[in-house]
Amino acid sequence: MSETFYVTTPIYYVNAKPHIGHAYTTLVADSLTRFKRQRGIDSFMLTGTDEHGINIERAAEARGVPVKQHVDSIVEEFKAAFARLGVDYDLWIRTTDPYHEASVQKLWGILKERGYIYKGHYEGWFCGSCNEFKDVDEKTDQPVCAIHEKPLDRIAEESYFFKFSAMQQRLLDLYRDHPEFVQPEVRRNEVISFVQGGLKDLSLSRVSVKWGIPVPDDPAHTIYVWFDALANYITALGWGNDHYQGFDRYWPALHLVGKDILRFHAVYWPAFLIAAGIELPRTVFVHGMLLRGGQKMGKTLGNAIQLNVLHGHFTNDMIRYFLLREVAFGQDGEVTYEALIDRVNSDLADGLGNLASRTLTMIKNYFDGVPPRPQAAGTEFDEDVRSILESAKAAFDGEFGSLNFSRALEAAWRGIARVDKYITDHHPWKLAKQDSNSDELRAVIATAYEGLRHLVLLTVPALPDATRQIWRQMGLGGEPLHINPNTTTWGEGLDISKIYAISPAFPKLNKEKIMAEIDSESTTAPEAQPPQPQTAPTSKIEPAKADSEKIAIDDFVKIDLRVATVLEAERVPKSDKLLRIIVDVGEPQSRQILAGIAEYYKPEDLVGRKIVVVANLAPRKMRGLESNGMLLAASVGESGRPVIATFAEDVPNGARLK
Ligand code: ME8
């Protein structure tokens, strides 16, 4: 059977809006999936939402809306947030999906039949935010959850129990025989000492909670929310249902989770599976917490970096790269906007971005845009650069595959630094002055171009959009996501087209300016922003509207104006006026737009340009082609000559104009 890969994120509670913590685990899972796919491995990524339990019931009550309506709206926010970040999951599971609910009842039935579930009475304390029963000193009148700092609920009711106490030795055997089951080592040790401390039987149902899955044959009881939630990892693949036939193909999983939910995944979940006789996950990999001011970012403290603020100033690739590179996966890490800007400037703008633009600019200037390949005798790639890049590739693969993303990227950036130094050492600008057709110049530029080609392939999982953009600017065909760097040979024959416009993949960010903007955003509500002053109308220009025709700011904000980069442009056959352009609007997929500017702009002059598009215009067909948005241009003179709106400074794709 060929190798497969199945990665999961936690399914997120729908009692708060998505923030950078949720984005973190999800982007890591997405990058890993891209890494595996690029290497030809049949891969599946699961994410979703955890929608049952007392806390969700309470959140809906606080909003005064029916629970289903509440969860539906938050699920949409999570989906939109992940789509905006360019996450490409294979399935979104909701614990309110009927197929999941039926399979959870089936799993319950199996445990009951095998003698692991019995009925009893539970009395104790419960935290609705952790969804966890807490051991507290019974003398305390009103104990408080140490994590959420909220009063615990007193529970005294009939309950079904899971025979957790019977699982202790089997769990300890698992951790001993499969040290890879819980990673990193520090978390494994934590789990072992917890289980060695003894396991009490676990209350597995509640009569005082209604929002959940009923116990089969005893619907007065609702199944404990963690039993319901953990089961998602198998029900999603079609275990116990026939909505998908993926269980045999993809199970066992790699579960990515934060350390806040270690015990549920590394102790409860394998215990349920052992009891049910189901194969265990391959690994529970536990990452640390993103911190702000030394404290966990999240809904409890309300101190998380907001995704909408990030999107206003940074591209998806910048955010993704920063999270993978800055924080050692497995450890806690402080994240700040300042550190993000520094990383972008040093690693992306000055590193990969600079290497790409200097290499492509030289090809444009010295070789009329046609990348040189060594052909004549005596012109060969530099052997030293080649071998250093081969070892960077091997190191990257080993580290990324072991989830050491930061070290993997360090290895790739060593390769970038090497090629950069090679260019500087061989000063092609001097060679070009002496003889623009020399073999040496050809060999130097060919080596730089070839090195860049391999480095771009290597960084695809961490920079999916920018690497695609650089790849196209290099005149290379195909999707880099589908080109395996390990089977890409150095110097192989390639079909390379000419290089046209070059636009920097990573603009250098102005730290002071961005920080001032971020500070003011956190103090200014969008409605409070004054409208921009209007420029005085001049004769040939349509006068500004009279007061009675003016629109309210609410009307203006309906128009979604976004920054975009033109990736491709061509004439629409049999049309004098229309150009078909493909633009990157900072979304996972590029868009096609038809623009009536063919009489004034050549397609090749547009590629790489930053433009403004109306992003929320209903799609419309012209000449059988769908246009998904509109390009903004000033209309000048009697003829209405279009002049495309652009920027004097670099701005990330997807940034909103307002
Ligand atoms: O626990 N740093 O959902 P949840 C890093 N529904 N990661 C963070 C983070 C931070 N500051 N904050 C959140 C639940 N996360 C359950 C899971 S799974 C069967 C059920 C991430 O919405 C991290 O992955 O509280 C953490 O484990 C998860 O969000 C918790 O999400």
Side-chain angles (χ1 to χ4, degrees), residues 27 69 166 217 226 249 254 260 306 311 337 484 495 585 598 602 628:
L27 283 172
Q69 187 183 324
D217 305 324
W226 270 101
R249 182 164 157 195
L254 162 65
D260 52 338
Q306 293 306 313
H311 289 307
Y337 294 113
N484 183 347
D495 187 13
V585 195
K602 281 197 248 154
N628 239 311

mmCIF file of all heavy atoms in Angstrom, residues 27 69 166 217 226 249 254 260 306 311 337 484 495 585 598 602 628:
data_model
loop_
_atom_site.group_PDB
_atom_site.id
_atom_site.type_symbol
_atom_site.label_atom_id
_atom_site.label_comp_id
_atom_site.label_asym_id
_atom_site.label_seq_id
_atom_site.Cartn_x
_atom_site.Cartn_y
_atom_site.Cartn_z
ATOM 1 N N LEU A 27 -2.455 26.570 10.388
ATOM 2 C CA LEU A 27 -1.466 26.865 9.340
ATOM 3 C C LEU A 27 -0.344 25.832 9.347
ATOM 4 O O LEU A 27 0.159 25.442 8.292
ATOM 5 C CB LEU A 27 -0.884 28.270 9.532
ATOM 6 C CG LEU A 27 -1.798 29.404 9.080
ATOM 7 C CD1 LEU A 27 -1.225 30.757 9.499
ATOM 8 C CD2 LEU A 27 -2.019 29.383 7.564
ATOM 9 N N GLN A 69 -28.428 28.494 15.865
ATOM 10 C CA GLN A 69 -28.154 29.743 15.120
ATOM 11 C C GLN A 69 -26.800 30.329 15.559
ATOM 12 O O GLN A 69 -26.005 30.778 14.737
ATOM 13 C CB GLN A 69 -29.280 30.731 15.411
ATOM 14 C CG GLN A 69 -29.218 31.982 14.576
ATOM 15 C CD GLN A 69 -30.334 32.936 14.991
ATOM 16 O OE1 GLN A 69 -31.451 32.539 15.343
ATOM 17 N NE2 GLN A 69 -30.030 34.216 14.975
ATOM 18 N N ALA A 166 -9.325 1.020 34.782
ATOM 19 C CA ALA A 166 -8.872 -0.256 34.219
ATOM 20 C C ALA A 166 -7.823 -0.045 33.121
ATOM 21 O O ALA A 166 -7.259 -1.010 32.607
ATOM 22 C CB ALA A 166 -10.076 -1.016 33.646
ATOM 23 N N ASP A 217 -30.379 4.862 23.912
ATOM 24 C CA ASP A 217 -31.331 4.174 24.803
ATOM 25 C C ASP A 217 -31.543 4.860 26.156
ATOM 26 O O ASP A 217 -32.183 4.311 27.038
ATOM 27 C CB ASP A 217 -30.913 2.709 25.061
ATOM 28 C CG ASP A 217 -30.730 1.964 23.767
ATOM 29 O OD1 ASP A 217 -31.496 2.231 22.810
ATOM 30 O OD2 ASP A 217 -29.800 1.139 23.680
ATOM 31 N N TRP A 226 -16.141 15.880 25.581
ATOM 32 C CA TRP A 226 -14.817 15.468 25.073
ATOM 33 C C TRP A 226 -14.872 14.096 24.390
ATOM 34 O O TRP A 226 -14.117 13.830 23.461
ATOM 35 C CB TRP A 226 -13.765 15.480 26.185
ATOM 36 C CG TRP A 226 -13.088 16.821 26.295
ATOM 37 C CD1 TRP A 226 -13.341 17.798 27.211
ATOM 38 C CD2 TRP A 226 -12.066 17.344 25.435
ATOM 39 N NE1 TRP A 226 -12.540 18.891 26.975
ATOM 40 C CE2 TRP A 226 -11.747 18.639 25.897
ATOM 41 C CE3 TRP A 226 -11.392 16.854 24.319
ATOM 42 C CZ2 TRP A 226 -10.782 19.440 25.284
ATOM 43 C CZ3 TRP A 226 -10.427 17.649 23.714
ATOM 44 C CH2 TRP A 226 -10.127 18.921 24.194
ATOM 45 N N ARG A 249 -7.950 4.072 4.417
ATOM 46 C CA ARG A 249 -6.925 4.710 3.604
ATOM 47 C C ARG A 249 -6.000 5.630 4.436
ATOM 48 O O ARG A 249 -4.797 5.648 4.212
ATOM 49 C CB ARG A 249 -7.637 5.528 2.528
ATOM 50 C CG ARG A 249 -6.738 6.238 1.553
ATOM 51 C CD ARG A 249 -7.556 6.654 0.355
ATOM 52 N NE ARG A 249 -6.983 7.748 -0.370
ATOM 53 C CZ ARG A 249 -7.637 8.470 -1.275
ATOM 54 N NH1 ARG A 249 -8.918 8.199 -1.528
ATOM 55 N NH2 ARG A 249 -7.049 9.435 -1.926
ATOM 56 N N LEU A 254 -1.815 11.854 12.555
ATOM 57 C CA LEU A 254 -0.920 12.710 13.344
ATOM 58 C C LEU A 254 -1.829 13.802 13.897
ATOM 59 O O LEU A 254 -2.419 14.563 13.124
ATOM 60 C CB LEU A 254 0.152 13.323 12.440
ATOM 61 C CG LEU A 254 0.888 14.545 13.003
ATOM 62 C CD1 LEU A 254 1.703 14.168 14.241
ATOM 63 C CD2 LEU A 254 1.818 15.159 11.954
ATOM 64 N N ASP A 260 -2.456 22.872 26.015
ATOM 65 C CA ASP A 260 -3.623 23.047 26.873
ATOM 66 C C ASP A 260 -4.561 21.847 26.830
ATOM 67 O O ASP A 260 -5.360 21.660 27.738
ATOM 68 C CB ASP A 260 -4.397 24.329 26.486
ATOM 69 C CG ASP A 260 -4.731 24.404 25.000
ATOM 70 O OD1 ASP A 260 -4.046 23.737 24.192
ATOM 71 O OD2 ASP A 260 -5.671 25.138 24.641
ATOM 72 N N GLN A 306 -5.091 40.122 16.754
ATOM 73 C CA GLN A 306 -6.309 39.951 15.956
ATOM 74 C C GLN A 306 -5.984 39.692 14.494
ATOM 75 O O GLN A 306 -5.128 40.347 13.910
ATOM 76 C CB GLN A 306 -7.187 41.195 16.074
ATOM 77 C CG GLN A 306 -7.772 41.400 17.464
ATOM 78 C CD GLN A 306 -8.523 40.179 17.974
ATOM 79 O OE1 GLN A 306 -9.331 39.600 17.252
ATOM 80 N NE2 GLN A 306 -8.233 39.764 19.199
ATOM 81 N N HIS A 311 -4.136 41.036 8.783
ATOM 82 C CA HIS A 311 -4.425 41.085 7.340
ATOM 83 C C HIS A 311 -4.307 42.498 6.767
ATOM 84 O O HIS A 311 -4.043 42.661 5.590
ATOM 85 C CB HIS A 311 -5.821 40.535 7.054
ATOM 86 C CG HIS A 311 -5.903 39.054 7.254
ATOM 87 N ND1 HIS A 311 -5.037 38.172 6.657
ATOM 88 C CD2 HIS A 311 -6.749 38.292 7.984
ATOM 89 C CE1 HIS A 311 -5.349 36.940 7.023
ATOM 90 N NE2 HIS A 311 -6.384 36.986 7.831
ATOM 91 N N TYR A 337 4.090 42.158 16.866
ATOM 92 C CA TYR A 337 4.078 42.736 15.521
ATOM 93 C C TYR A 337 5.493 43.161 15.116
ATOM 94 O O TYR A 337 5.888 43.019 13.968
ATOM 95 C CB TYR A 337 3.165 43.963 15.472
ATOM 96 C CG TYR A 337 1.702 43.652 15.681
ATOM 97 C CD1 TYR A 337 1.038 44.089 16.825
ATOM 98 C CD2 TYR A 337 0.983 42.945 14.724
ATOM 99 C CE1 TYR A 337 -0.312 43.817 17.013
ATOM 100 C CE2 TYR A 337 -0.364 42.677 14.908
ATOM 101 C CZ TYR A 337 -1.006 43.109 16.052
ATOM 102 O OH TYR A 337 -2.335 42.838 16.231
ATOM 103 N N ASN A 484 8.112 17.966 -6.935
ATOM 104 C CA ASN A 484 8.840 17.453 -5.782
ATOM 105 C C ASN A 484 10.303 17.902 -5.845
ATOM 106 O O ASN A 484 11.017 17.527 -6.767
ATOM 107 C CB ASN A 484 8.737 15.916 -5.809
ATOM 108 C CG ASN A 484 9.401 15.287 -4.597
ATOM 109 O OD1 ASN A 484 10.137 15.940 -3.861
ATOM 110 N ND2 ASN A 484 9.135 14.001 -4.411
ATOM 111 N N ASP A 495 11.665 23.810 -19.972
ATOM 112 C CA ASP A 495 11.006 24.677 -20.936
ATOM 113 C C ASP A 495 10.762 26.011 -20.221
ATOM 114 O O ASP A 495 9.824 26.145 -19.437
ATOM 115 C CB ASP A 495 9.672 24.010 -21.325
ATOM 116 C CG ASP A 495 9.019 24.761 -22.450
ATOM 117 O OD1 ASP A 495 9.699 25.608 -23.057
ATOM 118 O OD2 ASP A 495 7.832 24.483 -22.716
ATOM 119 N N VAL A 585 -5.317 38.444 -5.302
ATOM 120 C CA VAL A 585 -5.957 39.415 -4.404
ATOM 121 C C VAL A 585 -5.736 38.992 -2.949
ATOM 122 O O VAL A 585 -6.527 39.317 -2.062
ATOM 123 C CB VAL A 585 -7.469 39.535 -4.729
ATOM 124 C CG1 VAL A 585 -8.087 40.782 -4.088
ATOM 125 C CG2 VAL A 585 -7.721 39.594 -6.219
ATOM 126 N N ALA A 598 -7.266 47.163 -23.430
ATOM 127 C CA ALA A 598 -6.312 46.593 -24.398
ATOM 128 C C ALA A 598 -5.765 47.629 -25.381
ATOM 129 O O ALA A 598 -4.666 47.473 -25.899
ATOM 130 C CB ALA A 598 -6.960 45.441 -25.149
ATOM 131 N N LYS A 602 -0.184 47.131 -22.969
ATOM 132 C CA LYS A 602 0.269 45.848 -23.508
ATOM 133 C C LYS A 602 0.220 44.832 -22.365
ATOM 134 O O LYS A 602 0.603 45.179 -21.225
ATOM 135 C CB LYS A 602 1.717 45.962 -23.991
ATOM 136 C CG LYS A 602 1.825 46.623 -25.348
ATOM 137 C CD LYS A 602 3.200 46.312 -25.922
ATOM 138 C CE LYS A 602 3.996 47.591 -25.976
ATOM 139 N NZ LYS A 602 5.364 47.605 -25.927
ATOM 140 N N ASN A 628 -14.281 38.284 -12.614
ATOM 141 C CA ASN A 628 -14.551 38.206 -11.192
ATOM 142 C C ASN A 628 -13.990 39.397 -10.451
ATOM 143 O O ASN A 628 -13.041 39.271 -9.689
ATOM 144 C CB ASN A 628 -13.884 36.942 -10.670
ATOM 145 C CG ASN A 628 -14.916 36.049 -10.065
ATOM 146 O OD1 ASN A 628 -15.719 36.512 -9.248
ATOM 147 N ND2 ASN A 628 -14.913 34.800 -10.486
#
